[in-house]
Amino acid sequence: MEALTDQDGIKRYLVNINVNGDPYTVIVKANTLLVNLLRDQLDLTGTKKGCELGDCGSCTVLLDGKPVNSCTVLAVEADGRGITTIEGVARSEKLDKIQESFVNNAAVQCGYCTPGMILSAKALLARNPKPTEQEVREAISGNLCRCTGYVNIVKAVLEATGD
Amino acid sequence: MNENYSVIGKSVPKMDGRVKVTGQAKYTGDLKFPNMLVGKILTSPHAHARIISIDTSKAEKLPGVKAVITHRDVPSLKYGISPARWDENIFCIDKVRFVGDKVAAVAALDEETVYRALKLIRVEYEVLPAVFDPVEAIREGAPRIHDEYPMNINTEIHQNFGDVEKAFAEAHHVRTDLFMGQRTYQCPIEPHSAISIWEGGKLTVYSSTQSPHYHQYYIAREFGLKMGDVRVIKTFVGGGFGGKLEPTGLEFAGAALSRITGRPVKMFYDRHEMFAHNRGRHRQIMEVTTGVDKNGKILGLHANFIMDGGAYTSLGIASAYYAGAMLTLTYDFENYKFDMIRAYTNLPACGAQRGHGAPQPRYALEAHLDMVARDLGIDPLELRLRNARQPNTITPNEFKVNSCELTACIEKARELSGWKQKKGNLPSGRGIGLAVGSFVSGAGYPIYRTNLPQAAAIIKVHEDGSAATLYTGATDIGQGSDTVLCQMAAEAMGYFYENMKIVSADTETTPHDFGAYASRQTLMSGSAVKQAGEEVKQQLLEMAGEMMELPPGELDCREGIVFSKYSPEATRTFAEVAREFFVQKGPLVGRGSYTPPKLGGKFKGAPVGTSPAYSFAAQISEVEIDGETGQIDVKEVWDVHDCGMVINPALLRGQVHGALFMGMGESVWEEVVFDKNGRILNGNLGEYRMPTAVDMPKITSELVESYEPAAPWGVKEVGEGATIPTMGCFSNAIYDAMGVRVYSLPLSYEKVWRALKEKKEMESGLKSAAGRIYDKC
Amino acid sequence: MYLPDFDYQSPGSLKEACQILAAFGSRARVLAGGTDLMIKMKHGLLAPDVLVSLKNISQLAGIGYVQGRGVVIGARATHNDLVNSPVLQKKYLSVCEAAHHMANNQIRNVGTVGGNIVNAVPSADLPPILIALNAAVKLVGADGERELPLESFFTGPNRSVIGTDEILSEIVIPDQTSTGSTYMKFGLRRSGALAVVGVAVAVTVAGGVLKEAKIALGAVSPTPMRAVKAEELIRGRAVTDELLEEAGVCAAGECSPISDIRGSKEYRQDMVRVFTRRALRRAINEGHV
């Protein structure tokens, strides 16, 4: 991987990533986490920080289609890969079916877990378009929500399945 | 019950739903300002220590560091949220009182530099003996935490209503039980955050807050600023649950850093720091004694409690009073005695968490009453029905209860859950339990003494009538107050929800409101909004009267149409009348404010627990216990609520789900644990176990018909009430399943296992079989 | 929170990676999924000068059956790779299930089987079932490679026999005579919880007799451990409920758990009893599940 070293000897790496369909070349230190790259350098603040230890799922993004906690992934490790953040879920004024279902089912309260929740659900429906309730619960069990008791979230995901 | 309304009573989608599902909603931590610095607070590693010296020189020299401050750089005025005990400083001056106490702060170019700088601050401490248990803390000879508070007593309460001793003497049966609560934490998913911008004598603070007003008040007081020169703006807030009501320290440190550097400063806590700052639920030690007649009628109740307050007061005085005050609401009895000591300890300060002081005492009372029912051979549900409070009654501690459908709640829960078929008939390991609860719909009095109204609102109709903006200080922290208040505004105006806009919780642009706590906004902010809406409508109808040449009294407006009540063909649209109003008279504006009537008695502490109205609830849970492991599998929970008239059923149920979820977590899984030096062992979301989606059972949330005369459209609270019965409900279900009572929270797997083991050992009178074979291997 | 500074290398071959490791010694760490490493670094428990990423070493990915060796799992396979592997699903569903009950979905998408082993956390979920199935690990170093039973890999909490220049490259589950295996995890929450105890068993049953049994325990001693006395106790005996209970009691006596915030020593011991019995019963009745 290409790297530049500044006058203080600090090395910075050239990272090529595709975010929400758009190619970016960014320069990061080795210790830059993917979540900070997205939030601080690309201004994609829909990806939240809740615990920074991989426990809460607020920072969930899709890495090559799979949900991961961006707080424990190095930006340099994402080089050459594709990332979907919450900002990339709806591609026009029209919301994605899951997003719409979250709004219609009162699945959003404070909204802080919502981006990660939606991305986990999105990944589930991509590989399993007709999940059972238990499969939905499992798929979002890495996303903690303190407001809803998950009741309406589960309902919203189930309602977004199928045709 | 909703046929007469066009906008309220309907599950309209949330105002902010769309921006929250697209990631566009900006929380405080998402905001950026030109030249902004990042700041953090250095905290104490010791539970109790004298500060000998602080050397910030190394940190100041780190490239990128713009300011390092300690108590020398900030006002030394003590603050707090309860005026009776202001006992905190922005930074500790002489000593630190818990692991996490605030010592210094740094502002730097970026987060990484700030963390590095914190490590370079050298603080020399003289470690002092510390005390972590409230019972030990109030013993003679315990280390004194605050010089001003001998015996570490922060709050002491002795209330006596009627004659409890006499009631016990005359009772058929008197029983005493001792219960232990635990320390829990609100754990909003969004960490606390504040951005302070001090510019030209004016301070602007963007904050993740439940109350812009209290923050404004305390920040202005601390820095000697006029209220008008402090602007607090709530951004989107990622949950509060009580922990974001009072200043967090970030606002004060950030303001000082911003004044020194002349730059905006963003401050935040990481997850462990949130746990350390805390202000979560108090751990209470609760002795409950009840005297009953032979039919189970409660004759008298004595609640004798001690609570661990932690190192500072926070909202703890109110918590202490609430703990006892709320016990009288659900049952009709006359003799009540409440004793409480809130002790200082060298642990993080406790404050208000969903349900405030009430859930743990309620757990104690509800578990205790089940034991009383068992002693008497009465079905525990029946015992509650015999004692349930009725409408238009007054509690022994002088709370006036208007609407009260507790009996209906219990009966409906009984029906929904199949109580009659299940109770006593479930297979071994399976059990069903009931508990009830009640909560205020807004506190009768503000936190500091003031005659300001509780809430105020302004509605401004757009020049062409195509939209109306509600300006309210009410604080939406996710619960949906923006939505509910817009529904109320539209209803009162005869307008559409879809055309409503809202500006809320910004002390400079919105009228005063105390914010989101004590479940107050639907009733209190709603009252102000209703009045403002009606004022708009009144003016609109007068204008329409002129336009239509009809007396205004003959007109009404609904869903954007002004019409004559007598000749339906005579109509005008809201929009055209509003436009005409603007042309002829200027802005069409409505105003409203709300001050509750004078409530409560005259005794010491009488204001705490007063409210214009009280919600009531009954909860039933069904559980299955693994008899070998103590593991609790929650099968289903039913919540039946009397929360008055409902403005938005979907949001209301969301509140019940969330409150129940929190109560469930506290029942079985959640507890903040410390080591012997007062350090938190599980200050993260992996080991502080709130339930995940796979842990949550099926929840049924139902309502009973109810109308509260003291409230706009008959509304009452719901946001906190459903947390209150839950722990007692689980305790009773576990008892029903296994015949063992766990007397301390949380009702963890291991505690249930231990209780089962002790029961078995007692029954067999033998050392366990396992024990014998261990020796062989 | 932040990560201390380090140098990042992403070599394209195992050989190159081992050379870098050899050059930096204990100052370097291998980065596989990072789900554990990143957290330790954020907490300041580790501050390596160099992280050697395995992301470009493609030979470490993949799960397949190799005649004569058995099921070979590349160390970089994620937990979800294990869960979704057709080979494992067919032969050792028990391994898929063990992987499935780890952490949460996001972590299972990143965390690797190699990392789970090399971190040597006593409560790790994969080692017990792999040990019960007799798995071996292959360690590749700058000067060659070696293969050893997983059981002898661990030396203590966060400690193992791996050299500073070595990389765990493969896990091999040899062909079995066992007729059933399973891993039972007892955690305090259904997702995102570490094991309070983890019990894995592999059994060979014929004609109602336990010909052979392996019992491996997690979270109840400094390293994953075999309950050899319990294995011995039941070997060659007819399967009865009493026998399995005895095995559980014996295993409980063999382990040496500590008391911590997740459970007391006493509780853990008793859970070993319960789950050893239950795991044996399940593997006997249901095969590799």
Side-chain angles (χ1 to χ4, degrees), chain C:
Chain C
M1 305 186 93
Y2 79 105
L3 293 170
D5 275 317
F6 53 85
D7 196 13
Y8 173 80
Q9 309 251 11
S10 47
S13 73
L14 256 184
K15 192 168 170 228
E16 204 188 322
C18 293
Q19 281 164 354
I20 299 168
L21 289 175
F24 286 93
S26 59
R27 288 161 54 215
R29 299 289 295 205
V30 172
L31 171 65
T35 51
D36 203 68
L37 182 62
M38 293 295 112
I39 287 160
K40 284 191 176 127
M41 287 172 67
K42 283 185 182 189
H43 281 144
L45 300 172
L46 287 174
D49 291 337
V50 182
L51 285 189
V52 181
S53 168
L54 303 183
K55 82 181 265 229
N56 292 329
I57 307 174
S58 50
Q59 76 183 91
L60 296 179
I63 302 166
Y65 183 75
V66 179
Q67 208 69 43
R69 291 187 76 202
V71 176
V72 179
I73 303 169
R76 221 183 69 201
T78 66
H79 308 311
N80 270 344
D81 289 341
L82 263 57
V83 173
N84 298 319
S85 155
V87 177
L88 284 174
Q89 283 176 358
K90 187 162 154 252
K91 295 182 80 82
Y92 310 114
L93 192 56
S94 49
V95 175
C96 305
E97 286 295 312
H100 188 197
H101 287 104
M102 285 177 61
N104 59 49
N105 193 36
Q106 287 91 322
I107 290 174
R108 290 195 295 270
N109 276 329
V110 178
T112 65
V113 55
N116 193 244
I117 292 170
V118 173
N119 284 325
V121 176
S123 64
D125 290 306
L126 291 176
I129 185 68
L130 292 171
I131 288 172
L133 292 171
N134 243 341
V137 289
K138 189 188 203 180
L139 305 179
V140 179
D143 306 318
E145 55 183 59
R146 55 181 173 145
E147 202 167 293
L148 67 156
L150 177 58
E151 197 188 331
S152 55
F153 178 78
F154 303 102
T155 55
N158 309 308
R159 283 173 38 221
S160 70
V161 300
I162 199 164
T164 50
D165 69 327
E166 283 183 313
I167 291 171
L168 192 159
S169 65
E170 290 174 350
I171 298 95
V172 183
I173 306 175
D175 289 339
Q176 302 281 311
T177 54
S178 67
T179 54
S181 67
T182 195
Y183 172 68
M184 293 188 94
K185 172 181 185 165
F186 182 61
L188 299 179
R189 185 166 69 174
R190 288 195 182 126
S191 172
L194 297 177
V196 174
V197 305
V199 180
V201 301
V203 295
T204 309
V205 187
V209 172
L210 264 169
K211 298 281 185 200
E212 191 58 60
K214 273 196 161 191
I215 302 169
L217 310 175
V220 288
S221 65
T223 65
M225 62 167 280
R226 289 262 304 280
V228 285
K229 286 184 190 167
E231 292 172 5
E232 214 164 288
L233 181 80
I234 58 180
R235 187 173 298 129
R237 292 175 63 183
V239 176
T240 63
D241 288 343
E242 293 70 30
L243 181 73
L244 303 188
E245 171 67 16
E246 257 185 75
V249 171
C250 190
E254 283 183 78
C255 66
S256 53
I258 53 164
S259 292
D260 66 13
I261 55 168
R262 289 185 284 280
S264 69
K265 176 184 162 100
E266 195 191 358
Y267 186 49
R268 284 196 155 104
Q269 269 185 317
D270 199 40
M271 292 309 99
V272 166
R273 172 185 69 84
V274 172
F275 287 99
T276 298
R277 188 194 71 228
R278 291 184 185 178
L280 285 167
R281 175 51 76 191
R282 191 200 273 175
I284 290 165
N285 288 5
E286 299 174 43
H288 295 283
V289 290

Side-chain angles (χ1 to χ4, degrees), chain B residues 53-68:
Chain B
S53 66
I54 306 175
D55 178 3
T56 59
S57 57
K58 269 195 180 154
E60 282 160 19
K61 285 190 197 106
L62 185 72
V65 170
K66 298 298 171 188
V68 184

